[in-house]
Amino acid sequence: MLLADTVAVVHGAAVVLMLTGAVIALWRPRVLWVHLPVSLAILAVNRAGEPCPLTELELWLRSEAGGVVYDGGYLGHYVFAPIGLDVAGPSVQAGIYTVALVPNVVAFAVLAVRARRRRARPAVAI
């Protein structure tokens, strides 16, 4: 059961990184090296309509340990069900995409402007 719980914590960390990584990169640009692949992997799985491999691994580990296996996905079980929302509902889906996209788009725009300004600065001759 400890392994399943560990997978659930890692899964949660991946979700938090996907949501906040670009914003954190405003202060720590190296975070992008982890944020981008994690975010692209999450997006690819989501857009493909496939079950998340981390959810599948967690559920398999729980099953093998004789634990309770939940239905649905990670966010549905750990985030939305406890507050009484249906993760498959259109308003919840719109909220998920908004919360995921807006901070990332804004942060990447700021990062792009910063990079452009750095490139536009003339070199200082010594």
Side-chain angles (χ1 to χ4, degrees), residues 43-52:
L43 180 63
V45 168
N46 183 276
R47 296 309 308 149
E50 295 296 321
C52 176

Side-chain angles (χ1 to χ4, degrees), residues 51-67:
C52 176
L54 289 174
T55 301
E56 296 291 306
L57 177 59
E58 177 195 352
L59 295 175
W60 180 79
L61 289 168
R62 288 196 188 288
S63 174
E64 290 296 308

Side-chain angles (χ1 to χ4, degrees), residues 61-105:
L61 289 168
R62 288 196 188 288
S63 174
E64 290 296 308
V68 177
V69 177
Y70 57 85
D71 289 326
Y74 180 87
L75 290 178
H77 178 72
Y78 289 110
V79 178
F80 295 108
I83 58 175
L85 296 174
D86 176 18
V87 72
S91 60
V92 173
Q93 286 293 307
I96 289 170
Y97 282 105
T98 301
V99 168
L101 288 175
V102 170
N104 281 291
V105 168

Side-chain angles (χ1 to χ4, degrees), residues 21-37:
V23 175
I24 294 169
L26 294 171
W27 292 275
R28 301 280 187 241
R30 290 185 178 163
V31 168
L32 287 177
W33 289 102
V34 178
H35 169 71
L36 282 173

